Amino acid sequence: MEVYNEKELYNSIKDAYLSGKKVMIIGYGKHSNPRKSDIYLKIKMDYYKIEKEGYVEAYAGASVDKIREEASEHGLLLPCLYDGSIGGLLANNEFSPLSTRYGKPYDFTEKVFFITPFGKISWKIIIGSKGRLGAIYKARLKLFPKPTKVFTFEKSFNKKDETIAYVNKLMHLKPLAMLVEYDGKYNIHASYDFNADIHGFSKDEGVATIEETNRNGYYVNTPTIEDFMNAIEDTQPIYAYTVVGSGISKFYVADEDAIKKLNYFTHDDIPRVYWKLKAILDFKNIFA
Protein backbone atom coordinates (compact mmCIF):
# COMPACT_ATOMS: atom_id res chain seq x y z
CA MET A 1 0.00 0.00 0.00
CA GLU A 2 1.41 3.41 -0.96
CA VAL A 3 0.96 6.40 1.36
CA TYR A 4 1.39 9.98 0.14
CA ASN A 5 0.81 12.12 3.23
CA GLU A 6 0.85 12.10 7.02
CA LYS A 7 -2.89 11.52 7.35
CA GLU A 8 -2.85 8.44 5.11
CA LEU A 9 0.11 7.07 7.05
CA TYR A 10 -1.55 7.56 10.42
CA ASN A 11 -4.88 6.08 9.28
CA SER A 12 -3.18 3.00 7.85
CA ILE A 13 -1.22 2.41 11.06
CA LYS A 14 -4.28 3.04 13.24
CA ASP A 15 -6.37 0.59 11.19
CA ALA A 16 -3.65 -2.05 11.51
CA TYR A 17 -3.53 -1.51 15.27
CA LEU A 18 -7.30 -1.87 15.66
CA SER A 19 -7.46 -4.98 13.47
CA GLY A 20 -4.35 -6.61 14.97
CA LYS A 21 -2.42 -6.72 11.69
CA LYS A 22 1.35 -6.63 11.22
CA VAL A 23 2.83 -3.65 9.35
CA MET A 24 6.21 -3.23 7.67
CA ILE A 25 7.38 0.26 6.67
CA ILE A 26 9.20 0.41 3.32
CA GLY A 27 11.12 3.22 1.65
CA TYR A 28 12.72 2.26 -1.66
CA GLY A 29 12.98 -1.35 -0.49
CA LYS A 30 16.66 -1.55 -1.48
CA HIS A 31 18.22 -1.94 1.94
CA SER A 32 15.93 -4.25 3.92
CA ASN A 33 14.64 -7.73 3.30
CA PRO A 34 10.83 -8.08 3.46
CA ARG A 35 9.71 -9.36 6.86
CA LYS A 36 6.50 -11.32 7.35
CA SER A 37 3.64 -8.79 7.52
CA ASP A 38 -0.03 -8.36 6.67
CA ILE A 39 0.46 -4.82 5.32
CA TYR A 40 3.45 -3.25 3.59
CA LEU A 41 3.36 0.55 3.73
CA LYS A 42 5.48 2.16 1.02
CA ILE A 43 6.29 5.76 1.92
CA LYS A 44 5.86 8.02 -1.13
CA MET A 45 6.19 11.43 0.57
CA ASP A 46 9.17 12.80 -1.38
CA TYR A 47 9.19 16.56 -0.68
CA TYR A 48 12.30 18.27 0.73
CA LYS A 49 13.67 21.79 1.10
CA ILE A 50 17.25 22.94 1.61
CA GLU A 51 17.32 25.89 4.00
CA LYS A 52 19.71 28.84 3.89
CA GLU A 53 20.81 28.15 7.45
CA GLY A 54 22.50 24.92 6.33
CA TYR A 55 19.75 22.40 7.03
CA VAL A 56 17.45 20.24 4.94
CA GLU A 57 13.88 19.46 5.95
CA ALA A 58 12.77 16.30 4.21
CA TYR A 59 9.89 13.85 4.22
CA ALA A 60 10.65 10.16 4.57
CA GLY A 61 10.27 9.33 0.86
CA ALA A 62 12.72 12.00 -0.33
CA SER A 63 15.78 10.75 -2.21
CA VAL A 64 19.08 11.02 -0.34
CA ASP A 65 20.94 11.14 -3.68
CA LYS A 66 18.86 14.11 -4.89
CA ILE A 67 19.33 15.98 -1.62
CA ARG A 68 23.06 15.35 -1.70
CA GLU A 69 23.31 16.56 -5.31
CA GLU A 70 21.31 19.75 -4.68
CA ALA A 71 23.20 20.45 -1.45
CA SER A 72 26.47 20.08 -3.38
CA GLU A 73 25.33 22.77 -5.84
CA HIS A 74 25.04 25.11 -2.84
CA GLY A 75 28.51 24.15 -1.57
CA LEU A 76 27.03 21.92 1.15
CA LEU A 77 27.46 18.29 2.13
CA LEU A 78 24.99 15.72 3.44
CA PRO A 79 27.63 13.46 5.04
CA CYS A 80 26.56 9.95 4.06
CA LEU A 81 26.89 7.57 1.11
CA TYR A 82 23.42 6.01 1.43
CA ASP A 83 21.47 5.64 -1.84
CA GLY A 84 17.88 5.24 -0.64
CA SER A 85 15.27 7.46 1.00
CA ILE A 86 15.61 9.75 4.01
CA GLY A 87 13.33 7.41 5.97
CA GLY A 88 15.61 4.47 5.14
CA LEU A 89 18.73 6.46 6.02
CA LEU A 90 17.38 7.24 9.49
CA ALA A 91 15.71 3.86 10.07
CA ASN A 92 19.02 2.10 9.41
CA ASN A 93 21.35 4.75 10.90
CA GLU A 94 23.96 3.29 8.59
CA PHE A 95 27.57 4.33 9.16
CA SER A 96 29.85 5.30 6.27
CA PRO A 97 33.53 6.29 5.95
CA LEU A 98 32.40 9.92 6.54
CA SER A 99 31.24 8.91 10.03
CA THR A 100 34.79 9.51 11.27
CA ARG A 101 34.22 13.28 11.16
CA TYR A 102 30.45 13.71 10.97
CA GLY A 103 29.11 10.73 12.90
CA LYS A 104 26.20 8.51 11.92
CA PRO A 105 22.84 9.94 10.74
CA TYR A 106 21.68 10.16 14.37
CA ASP A 107 24.45 12.69 15.03
CA PHE A 108 23.61 15.11 12.20
CA THR A 109 19.82 14.87 12.53
CA GLU A 110 18.34 17.77 14.49
CA LYS A 111 14.72 16.59 14.63
CA VAL A 112 12.78 13.56 13.48
CA PHE A 113 9.04 12.87 13.58
CA PHE A 114 7.39 9.47 13.50
CA ILE A 115 3.89 8.06 13.74
CA THR A 116 2.51 5.37 16.02
CA PRO A 117 -1.11 4.21 16.47
CA PHE A 118 -1.38 6.90 19.18
CA GLY A 119 -0.28 9.84 17.05
CA LYS A 120 2.82 11.84 16.17
CA ILE A 121 6.02 11.77 18.24
CA SER A 122 9.28 13.75 17.93
CA TRP A 123 12.09 11.72 19.48
CA LYS A 124 15.50 10.88 18.00
CA ILE A 125 15.46 7.44 19.60
CA ILE A 126 13.54 6.25 16.51
CA ILE A 127 16.75 6.57 14.46
CA GLY A 128 18.25 3.11 13.97
CA SER A 129 15.10 1.20 14.95
CA LYS A 130 14.49 -0.07 11.37
CA GLY A 131 10.76 0.60 11.42
CA ARG A 132 10.07 -1.53 14.51
CA LEU A 133 8.95 1.32 16.80
CA GLY A 134 6.94 3.46 14.38
CA ALA A 135 6.96 5.05 10.93
CA ILE A 136 9.36 7.96 10.31
CA TYR A 137 7.70 10.59 8.14
CA LYS A 138 9.75 13.82 8.40
CA ALA A 139 13.16 15.01 9.61
CA ARG A 140 15.46 18.03 9.76
CA LEU A 141 19.13 17.27 9.08
CA LYS A 142 22.24 19.43 9.32
CA LEU A 143 24.36 20.09 6.23
CA PHE A 144 28.07 20.92 6.32
CA PRO A 145 30.49 22.93 4.14
CA LYS A 146 31.52 20.74 1.21
CA PRO A 147 35.27 19.99 0.98
CA THR A 148 36.79 21.32 -2.24
CA LYS A 149 39.39 18.53 -2.45
CA VAL A 150 39.72 15.11 -0.83
CA PHE A 151 42.94 13.08 -0.66
CA THR A 152 43.06 9.47 0.56
CA PHE A 153 46.28 7.93 1.85
CA GLU A 154 46.54 4.12 1.90
CA LYS A 155 48.92 1.56 3.34
CA SER A 156 48.81 -2.10 4.47
CA PHE A 157 50.25 -3.58 7.65
CA ASN A 158 50.71 -7.10 8.99
CA LYS A 159 51.16 -6.29 12.68
CA LYS A 160 48.38 -5.27 15.05
CA ASP A 161 50.46 -2.89 17.19
CA GLU A 162 51.94 -1.12 14.17
CA THR A 163 48.45 -0.62 12.69
CA ILE A 164 47.06 0.82 15.93
CA ALA A 165 50.00 3.21 16.24
CA TYR A 166 49.49 4.53 12.68
CA VAL A 167 45.73 4.88 13.10
CA ASN A 168 46.18 6.92 16.27
CA LYS A 169 48.85 9.06 14.58
CA LEU A 170 46.65 9.73 11.55
CA MET A 171 43.63 10.55 13.72
CA HIS A 172 45.59 13.44 15.25
CA LEU A 173 45.55 15.06 11.78
CA LYS A 174 41.71 15.16 11.98
CA PRO A 175 40.75 13.07 8.93
CA LEU A 176 37.53 13.42 7.01
CA ALA A 177 37.26 9.62 6.93
CA MET A 178 39.26 6.71 8.34
CA LEU A 179 38.49 3.22 7.07
CA VAL A 180 40.43 0.16 8.27
CA GLU A 181 39.91 -3.16 6.48
CA TYR A 182 41.09 -6.62 7.47
CA ASP A 183 41.55 -9.40 4.88
CA GLY A 184 44.46 -11.25 6.47
CA LYS A 185 46.34 -7.98 6.74
CA TYR A 186 45.28 -4.53 7.91
CA ASN A 187 44.60 -1.89 5.23
CA ILE A 188 44.33 1.75 6.32
CA HIS A 189 42.48 4.34 4.18
CA ALA A 190 42.76 7.85 5.65
CA SER A 191 41.00 10.73 3.83
CA TYR A 192 41.68 14.44 4.37
CA ASP A 193 40.31 17.66 2.94
CA PHE A 194 43.89 18.90 2.56
CA ASN A 195 47.07 17.36 1.14
CA ALA A 196 48.55 15.80 4.28
CA ASP A 197 51.46 14.31 2.28
CA ILE A 198 51.95 11.34 4.63
CA HIS A 199 55.28 9.61 4.11
CA GLY A 200 55.18 5.98 3.01
CA PHE A 201 51.50 5.96 1.98
CA SER A 202 50.12 5.87 -1.56
CA LYS A 203 47.79 8.77 -2.42
CA ASP A 204 44.57 9.02 -4.42
CA GLU A 205 41.70 11.48 -4.76
CA GLY A 206 38.27 10.85 -3.25
CA VAL A 207 36.99 8.92 -0.24
CA ALA A 208 37.53 5.16 -0.05
CA THR A 209 34.28 3.17 0.00
CA ILE A 210 33.22 -0.43 0.59
CA GLU A 211 31.35 -2.35 -2.12
CA GLU A 212 29.30 -5.09 -0.46
CA THR A 213 27.40 -7.68 -2.50
CA ASN A 214 25.43 -9.21 0.38
CA ARG A 215 24.03 -8.34 3.81
CA ASN A 216 25.11 -11.45 5.66
CA GLY A 217 27.75 -9.81 7.81
CA TYR A 218 27.50 -8.97 11.48
CA TYR A 219 27.59 -5.47 12.95
CA VAL A 220 29.83 -5.38 16.03
CA ASN A 221 30.13 -2.62 18.62
CA THR A 222 33.80 -1.63 18.68
CA PRO A 223 34.26 1.74 20.43
CA THR A 224 38.01 1.93 19.67
CA ILE A 225 40.48 0.63 17.09
CA GLU A 226 41.88 -1.63 19.81
CA ASP A 227 38.41 -3.18 20.26
CA PHE A 228 38.24 -3.83 16.51
CA MET A 229 41.64 -5.54 16.56
CA ASN A 230 40.73 -7.64 19.61
CA ALA A 231 37.47 -8.75 17.94
CA ILE A 232 39.49 -9.86 14.90
CA GLU A 233 41.72 -11.97 17.12
CA ASP A 234 38.66 -13.50 18.84
CA THR A 235 36.73 -14.36 15.65
CA GLN A 236 39.35 -14.75 12.89
CA PRO A 237 37.01 -13.28 10.23
CA ILE A 238 37.27 -13.85 6.51
CA TYR A 239 36.89 -10.09 6.10
CA ALA A 240 36.10 -7.17 8.41
CA TYR A 241 36.15 -3.40 8.37
CA THR A 242 35.61 -0.49 10.71
CA VAL A 243 35.16 3.25 10.34
CA VAL A 244 37.32 4.71 13.07
CA GLY A 245 35.27 7.02 15.28
CA SER A 246 31.92 5.40 14.43
CA GLY A 247 32.08 2.75 17.15
CA ILE A 248 30.80 0.12 14.68
CA SER A 249 32.50 -2.57 12.60
CA LYS A 250 31.25 -5.19 10.18
CA PHE A 251 32.49 -8.78 10.27
CA TYR A 252 32.17 -11.68 7.83
CA VAL A 253 33.01 -14.94 9.60
CA ALA A 254 33.20 -18.62 8.64
CA ASP A 255 32.44 -19.77 12.20
CA GLU A 256 29.16 -18.16 13.26
CA ASP A 257 29.59 -19.36 16.84
CA ALA A 258 32.70 -17.19 17.15
CA ILE A 259 30.70 -13.97 16.71
CA LYS A 260 28.30 -14.83 19.54
CA LYS A 261 30.82 -13.83 22.21
CA LEU A 262 30.70 -10.24 20.88
CA ASN A 263 28.11 -7.45 21.17
CA TYR A 264 26.65 -7.80 17.66
CA PHE A 265 23.50 -7.50 15.54
CA THR A 266 22.63 -8.40 11.94
CA HIS A 267 21.50 -6.22 9.04
CA ASP A 268 17.78 -6.82 9.57
CA ASP A 269 18.00 -6.93 13.35
CA ILE A 270 18.27 -3.98 15.75
CA PRO A 271 20.45 -3.29 18.80
CA ARG A 272 19.03 -4.74 22.00
CA VAL A 273 17.98 -1.41 23.48
CA TYR A 274 15.25 -1.07 20.83
CA TRP A 275 13.61 -4.34 21.86
CA LYS A 276 13.15 -2.85 25.34
CA LEU A 277 11.64 0.34 23.89
CA LYS A 278 9.33 -1.72 21.67
CA ALA A 279 7.54 -3.02 24.76
CA ILE A 280 6.60 0.61 25.51
CA LEU A 281 6.04 2.20 22.09
CA ASP A 282 4.64 -0.87 20.30
CA PHE A 283 3.31 -3.13 23.04
CA LYS A 284 0.86 -4.81 20.63
CA ASN A 285 3.82 -5.59 18.34
CA ILE A 286 2.23 -4.40 15.10
CA PHE A 287 5.48 -3.14 13.52
CA ALA A 288 7.40 -5.99 11.84
Side-chain angles (χ1 to χ4, degrees):
M1 179 187 299
E2 296 181 344
V3 290
Y4 290 86
N5 56 56
E6 178 187 341
K7 185 177 180 180
E8 288 181 1
L9 181 59
Y10 172 71
N11 286 341
S12 298
I13 290 171
K14 184 71 172 180
D15 288 346
Y17 175 81
L18 293 174
S19 58
K21 293 181 178 179
K22 280 274 192 183
V23 176
M24 182 176 177
I25 310 301
I26 299 174
Y28 289 178
K30 296 166 60 176
H31 297 277
S32 295
N33 295 317
R35 299 185 287 270
K36 187 177 180 180
S37 301
D38 301 302
I39 302 169
Y40 296 90
L41 293 181
K42 191 163 188 179
I43 308 299
K44 303 295 285 186
M45 298 175 281
D46 60 359
Y47 173 78
Y48 70 88
K49 180 181 180 182
I50 293 176
E51 302 172 353
K52 293 180 180 179
E53 298 81 7
Y55 288 87
V56 58
E57 185 169 284
Y59 282 84
S63 164
V64 173
D65 281 341
K66 288 182 179 179
I67 292 171
R68 196 163 43 227
E69 289 170 10
E70 186 171 330
S72 179
E73 293 171 3
H74 294 278
L76 297 169
L77 172 71
L78 179 62
C80 66
L81 303 177
Y82 191 77
D83 62 347
S85 66
I86 283 290
L89 172 71
L90 300 183
N92 287 291
N93 197 30
E94 191 76 29
F95 70 114
S96 78
L98 294 172
S99 296
T100 299
R101 178 175 293 183
Y102 302 105
K104 297 189 284 296
Y106 181 96
D107 301 299
F108 53 82
T109 300
E110 183 183 66
K111 292 181 181 179
V112 60
F113 299 89
F114 64 102
I115 288 177
T116 74
F118 311 104
K120 179 172 67 176
I121 299 174
S122 177
W123 193 15
K124 283 178 64 175
I125 196 67
I126 192 72
I127 298 174
S129 65
K130 300 190 179 181
R132 287 186 168 94
L133 301 181
I136 293 171
Y137 78 91
K138 186 169 71 170
R140 190 168 189 257
L141 297 88
K142 182 173 176 55
L143 303 173
F144 298 85
K146 178 187 171 184
T148 55
K149 276 279 189 180
V150 175
F151 300 94
T152 293
F153 298 86
E154 301 176 325
K155 190 173 182 178
S156 297
F157 298 88
N158 292 311
K159 296 180 180 179
K160 170 184 172 181
D161 292 343
E162 190 177 20
T163 306
I164 291 173
Y166 262 98
V167 166
N168 290 332
K169 179 180 178 181
L170 295 172
M171 285 297 287
H172 281 298
L173 297 175
K174 302 186 183 304
L176 186 70
M178 174 79 75
L179 174 68
V180 180
E181 296 178 277
Y182 174 79
D183 58 3
K185 60 183 181 297
Y186 302 103
N187 309 297
I188 298 176
H189 311 267
S191 301
Y192 297 88
D193 49 3
F194 62 94
N195 190 352
D197 196 20
I198 303 167
H199 180 69
F201 281 67
S202 63
K203 184 174 72 172
D204 201 356
E205 291 192 14
V207 175
T209 60
I210 295 291
E211 295 291 337
E212 295 182 89
T213 58
N214 66 69
R215 306 187 185 120
N216 295 328
Y218 297 88
Y219 293 89
V220 179
N221 291 306
T222 52
T224 67
I225 185 63
E226 289 85 357
D227 292 320
F228 173 64
M229 300 290 194
N230 292 337
I232 286 173
E233 290 182 341
D234 288 341
T235 61
Q236 296 297 306
I238 301 166
Y239 175 72
Y241 68 88
T242 189
V243 174
V244 182
S246 73
I248 297 288
S249 303
K250 196 165 184 185
F251 279 64
Y252 292 86
V253 297
D255 179 8
E256 293 185 3
D257 288 333
I259 205 77
K260 292 178 181 177
K261 66 183 76 172
L262 303 177
N263 186 2
Y264 76 94
F265 57 97
T266 62
H267 177 83
D268 287 317
D269 199 1
I270 51 176
R272 293 164 193 165
V273 64
Y274 291 110
W275 291 117
K276 296 177 181 178
L277 287 167
K278 190 171 177 67
I280 301 170
L281 294 174
D282 183 28
F283 58 86
K284 284 187 70 172
N285 195 29
I286 70 163
F287 291 107

PDB file of all heavy atoms in Angstrom, residues 243-262:
ATOM      1  N   VAL A 243      34.951   1.820  10.551  1.00  0.00           N
ATOM      2  CA  VAL A 243      35.155   3.252  10.336  1.00  0.00           C
ATOM      3  C   VAL A 243      35.557   3.816  11.686  1.00  0.00           C
ATOM      4  O   VAL A 243      34.761   3.821  12.631  1.00  0.00           O
ATOM      5  CB  VAL A 243      33.875   3.930   9.808  1.00  0.00           C
ATOM      6  CG1 VAL A 243      34.068   5.436   9.740  1.00  0.00           C
ATOM      7  CG2 VAL A 243      33.508   3.370   8.448  1.00  0.00           C
ATOM      8  N   VAL A 244      36.794   4.246  11.794  1.00  0.00           N
ATOM      9  CA  VAL A 244      37.316   4.711  13.071  1.00  0.00           C
ATOM     10  C   VAL A 244      36.534   5.945  13.514  1.00  0.00           C
ATOM     11  O   VAL A 244      36.325   6.875  12.743  1.00  0.00           O
ATOM     12  CB  VAL A 244      38.820   5.031  12.971  1.00  0.00           C
ATOM     13  CG1 VAL A 244      39.371   5.475  14.324  1.00  0.00           C
ATOM     14  CG2 VAL A 244      39.590   3.812  12.462  1.00  0.00           C
ATOM     15  N   GLY A 245      36.071   5.926  14.761  1.00  0.00           N
ATOM     16  CA  GLY A 245      35.266   7.021  15.284  1.00  0.00           C
ATOM     17  C   GLY A 245      33.780   6.730  15.273  1.00  0.00           C
ATOM     18  O   GLY A 245      33.007   7.402  15.959  1.00  0.00           O
ATOM     19  N   SER A 246      33.350   5.721  14.504  1.00  0.00           N
ATOM     20  CA  SER A 246      31.923   5.400  14.426  1.00  0.00           C
ATOM     21  C   SER A 246      31.474   4.487  15.556  1.00  0.00           C
ATOM     22  O   SER A 246      30.291   4.442  15.902  1.00  0.00           O
ATOM     23  CB  SER A 246      31.594   4.730  13.087  1.00  0.00           C
ATOM     24  OG  SER A 246      32.094   3.400  13.055  1.00  0.00           O
ATOM     25  N   GLY A 247      32.418   3.704  16.110  1.00  0.00           N
ATOM     26  CA  GLY A 247      32.078   2.752  17.154  1.00  0.00           C
ATOM     27  C   GLY A 247      31.476   1.460  16.630  1.00  0.00           C
ATOM     28  O   GLY A 247      31.044   0.600  17.406  1.00  0.00           O
ATOM     29  N   ILE A 248      31.424   1.294  15.302  1.00  0.00           N
ATOM     30  CA  ILE A 248      30.800   0.121  14.676  1.00  0.00           C
ATOM     31  C   ILE A 248      31.771  -0.504  13.670  1.00  0.00           C
ATOM     32  O   ILE A 248      32.499   0.195  12.965  1.00  0.00           O
ATOM     33  CB  ILE A 248      29.494   0.499  13.952  1.00  0.00           C
ATOM     34  CG1 ILE A 248      28.458   1.020  14.939  1.00  0.00           C
ATOM     35  CG2 ILE A 248      28.922  -0.685  13.183  1.00  0.00           C
ATOM     36  CD1 ILE A 248      27.867  -0.033  15.837  1.00  0.00           C
ATOM     37  N   SER A 249      31.752  -1.825  13.606  1.00  0.00           N
ATOM     38  CA  SER A 249      32.503  -2.570  12.595  1.00  0.00           C
ATOM     39  C   SER A 249      31.574  -3.575  11.943  1.00  0.00           C
ATOM     40  O   SER A 249      30.495  -3.868  12.461  1.00  0.00           O
ATOM     41  CB  SER A 249      33.677  -3.319  13.241  1.00  0.00           C
ATOM     42  OG  SER A 249      34.535  -2.441  13.934  1.00  0.00           O
ATOM     43  N   LYS A 250      32.010  -4.123  10.821  1.00  0.00           N
ATOM     44  CA  LYS A 250      31.246  -5.187  10.181  1.00  0.00           C
ATOM     45  C   LYS A 250      32.166  -6.377   9.944  1.00  0.00           C
ATOM     46  O   LYS A 250      33.282  -6.205   9.433  1.00  0.00           O
ATOM     47  CB  LYS A 250      30.623  -4.719   8.867  1.00  0.00           C
ATOM     48  CG  LYS A 250      29.525  -5.662   8.381  1.00  0.00           C
ATOM     49  CD  LYS A 250      28.663  -5.030   7.307  1.00  0.00           C
ATOM     50  CE  LYS A 250      27.519  -5.965   6.915  1.00  0.00           C
ATOM     51  NZ  LYS A 250      26.737  -5.423   5.799  1.00  0.00           N
ATOM     52  N   PHE A 251      31.685  -7.570  10.326  1.00  0.00           N
ATOM     53  CA  PHE A 251      32.487  -8.778  10.269  1.00  0.00           C
ATOM     54  C   PHE A 251      31.800  -9.826   9.393  1.00  0.00           C
ATOM     55  O   PHE A 251      30.580 -10.022   9.473  1.00  0.00           O
ATOM     56  CB  PHE A 251      32.658  -9.374  11.675  1.00  0.00           C
ATOM     57  CG  PHE A 251      33.732  -8.711  12.492  1.00  0.00           C
ATOM     58  CD1 PHE A 251      33.632  -7.379  12.866  1.00  0.00           C
ATOM     59  CD2 PHE A 251      34.850  -9.419  12.899  1.00  0.00           C
ATOM     60  CE1 PHE A 251      34.617  -6.770  13.612  1.00  0.00           C
ATOM     61  CE2 PHE A 251      35.839  -8.827  13.649  1.00  0.00           C
ATOM     62  CZ  PHE A 251      35.733  -7.498  14.014  1.00  0.00           C
ATOM     63  N   TYR A 252      32.605 -10.522   8.582  1.00  0.00           N
ATOM     64  CA  TYR A 252      32.166 -11.683   7.834  1.00  0.00           C
ATOM     65  C   TYR A 252      32.990 -12.862   8.352  1.00  0.00           C
ATOM     66  O   TYR A 252      34.227 -12.851   8.234  1.00  0.00           O
ATOM     67  CB  TYR A 252      32.392 -11.489   6.338  1.00  0.00           C
ATOM     68  CG  TYR A 252      31.498 -10.426   5.733  1.00  0.00           C
ATOM     69  CD1 TYR A 252      31.872  -9.090   5.747  1.00  0.00           C
ATOM     70  CD2 TYR A 252      30.275 -10.767   5.168  1.00  0.00           C
ATOM     71  CE1 TYR A 252      31.043  -8.111   5.219  1.00  0.00           C
ATOM     72  CE2 TYR A 252      29.445  -9.792   4.623  1.00  0.00           C
ATOM     73  CZ  TYR A 252      29.841  -8.464   4.659  1.00  0.00           C
ATOM     74  OH  TYR A 252      29.011  -7.499   4.127  1.00  0.00           O
ATOM     75  N   VAL A 253      32.306 -13.847   8.943  1.00  0.00           N
ATOM     76  CA  VAL A 253      33.013 -14.944   9.599  1.00  0.00           C
ATOM     77  C   VAL A 253      32.592 -16.286   9.008  1.00  0.00           C
ATOM     78  O   VAL A 253      31.467 -16.460   8.531  1.00  0.00           O
ATOM     79  CB  VAL A 253      32.755 -14.943  11.118  1.00  0.00           C
ATOM     80  CG1 VAL A 253      33.298 -13.679  11.761  1.00  0.00           C
ATOM     81  CG2 VAL A 253      31.274 -15.102  11.429  1.00  0.00           C
ATOM     82  N   ALA A 254      33.513 -17.258   9.064  1.00  0.00           N
ATOM     83  CA  ALA A 254      33.197 -18.622   8.644  1.00  0.00           C
ATOM     84  C   ALA A 254      32.555 -19.393   9.785  1.00  0.00           C
ATOM     85  O   ALA A 254      31.680 -20.232   9.569  1.00  0.00           O
ATOM     86  CB  ALA A 254      34.474 -19.324   8.179  1.00  0.00           C
ATOM     87  N   ASP A 255      32.972 -19.102  11.014  1.00  0.00           N
ATOM     88  CA  ASP A 255      32.445 -19.768  12.205  1.00  0.00           C
ATOM     89  C   ASP A 255      31.463 -18.831  12.903  1.00  0.00           C
ATOM     90  O   ASP A 255      31.872 -17.910  13.603  1.00  0.00           O
ATOM     91  CB  ASP A 255      33.598 -20.141  13.141  1.00  0.00           C
ATOM     92  CG  ASP A 255      33.121 -20.832  14.421  1.00  0.00           C
ATOM     93  OD1 ASP A 255      31.910 -21.159  14.501  1.00  0.00           O
ATOM     94  OD2 ASP A 255      33.950 -21.026  15.321  1.00  0.00           O
ATOM     95  N   GLU A 256      30.163 -19.051  12.695  1.00  0.00           N
ATOM     96  CA  GLU A 256      29.157 -18.160  13.259  1.00  0.00           C
ATOM     97  C   GLU A 256      29.133 -18.193  14.788  1.00  0.00           C
ATOM     98  O   GLU A 256      28.738 -17.219  15.431  1.00  0.00           O
ATOM     99  CB  GLU A 256      27.774 -18.503  12.698  1.00  0.00           C
ATOM    100  CG  GLU A 256      27.654 -18.212  11.212  1.00  0.00           C
ATOM    101  CD  GLU A 256      26.249 -18.436  10.683  1.00  0.00           C
ATOM    102  OE1 GLU A 256      25.350 -18.763  11.490  1.00  0.00           O
ATOM    103  OE2 GLU A 256      26.052 -18.282   9.467  1.00  0.00           O
ATOM    104  N   ASP A 257      29.552 -19.285  15.379  1.00  0.00           N
ATOM    105  CA  ASP A 257      29.590 -19.360  16.837  1.00  0.00           C
ATOM    106  C   ASP A 257      30.606 -18.381  17.424  1.00  0.00           C
ATOM    107  O   ASP A 257      30.447 -17.901  18.553  1.00  0.00           O
ATOM    108  CB  ASP A 257      29.926 -20.783  17.299  1.00  0.00           C
ATOM    109  CG  ASP A 257      28.769 -21.751  17.079  1.00  0.00           C
ATOM    110  OD1 ASP A 257      27.607 -21.279  17.066  1.00  0.00           O
ATOM    111  OD2 ASP A 257      29.015 -22.950  16.917  1.00  0.00           O
ATOM    112  N   ALA A 258      31.651 -18.077  16.648  1.00  0.00           N
ATOM    113  CA  ALA A 258      32.699 -17.188  17.150  1.00  0.00           C
ATOM    114  C   ALA A 258      32.178 -15.781  17.402  1.00  0.00           C
ATOM    115  O   ALA A 258      32.627 -15.098  18.327  1.00  0.00           O
ATOM    116  CB  ALA A 258      33.860 -17.147  16.159  1.00  0.00           C
ATOM    117  N   ILE A 259      31.206 -15.339  16.593  1.00  0.00           N
ATOM    118  CA  ILE A 259      30.701 -13.967  16.710  1.00  0.00           C
ATOM    119  C   ILE A 259      29.806 -13.805  17.937  1.00  0.00           C
ATOM    120  O   ILE A 259      29.592 -12.683  18.430  1.00  0.00           O
ATOM    121  CB  ILE A 259      29.941 -13.567  15.421  1.00  0.00           C
ATOM    122  CG1 ILE A 259      29.951 -12.047  15.224  1.00  0.00           C
ATOM    123  CG2 ILE A 259      28.524 -14.097  15.420  1.00  0.00           C
ATOM    124  CD1 ILE A 259      31.233 -11.499  14.705  1.00  0.00           C
ATOM    125  N   LYS A 260      29.283 -14.905  18.467  1.00  0.00           N
ATOM    126  CA  LYS A 260      28.298 -14.832  19.542  1.00  0.00           C
ATOM    127  C   LYS A 260      28.876 -14.323  20.856  1.00  0.00           C
ATOM    128  O   LYS A 260      28.133 -13.913  21.739  1.00  0.00           O
ATOM    129  CB  LYS A 260      27.634 -16.193  19.743  1.00  0.00           C
ATOM    130  CG  LYS A 260      26.756 -16.590  18.555  1.00  0.00           C
ATOM    131  CD  LYS A 260      26.128 -17.962  18.738  1.00  0.00           C
ATOM    132  CE  LYS A 260      25.279 -18.326  17.521  1.00  0.00           C
ATOM    133  NZ  LYS A 260      24.701 -19.689  17.622  1.00  0.00           N
ATOM    134  N   LYS A 261      30.196 -14.348  20.981  1.00  0.00           N
ATOM    135  CA  LYS A 261      30.822 -13.830  22.206  1.00  0.00           C
ATOM    136  C   LYS A 261      30.935 -12.304  22.180  1.00  0.00           C
ATOM    137  O   LYS A 261      31.286 -11.692  23.178  1.00  0.00           O
ATOM    138  CB  LYS A 261      32.202 -14.443  22.394  1.00  0.00           C
ATOM    139  CG  LYS A 261      33.224 -14.065  21.345  1.00  0.00           C
ATOM    140  CD  LYS A 261      34.566 -14.769  21.561  1.00  0.00           C
ATOM    141  CE  LYS A 261      34.490 -16.217  21.138  1.00  0.00           C
ATOM    142  NZ  LYS A 261      35.827 -16.878  21.144  1.00  0.00           N
ATOM    143  N   LEU A 262      30.590 -11.688  21.030  1.00  0.00           N
ATOM    144  CA  LEU A 262      30.703 -10.238  20.881  1.00  0.00           C
ATOM    145  C   LEU A 262      29.332  -9.571  20.977  1.00  0.00           C
ATOM    146  O   LEU A 262      28.295 -10.216  20.870  1.00  0.00           O
ATOM    147  CB  LEU A 262      31.350  -9.902  19.534  1.00  0.00           C
ATOM    148  CG  LEU A 262      32.724 -10.512  19.259  1.00  0.00           C
ATOM    149  CD1 LEU A 262      33.188 -10.139  17.872  1.00  0.00           C
ATOM    150  CD2 LEU A 262      33.747 -10.070  20.301  1.00  0.00           C
TER     151      LEU A 262
END
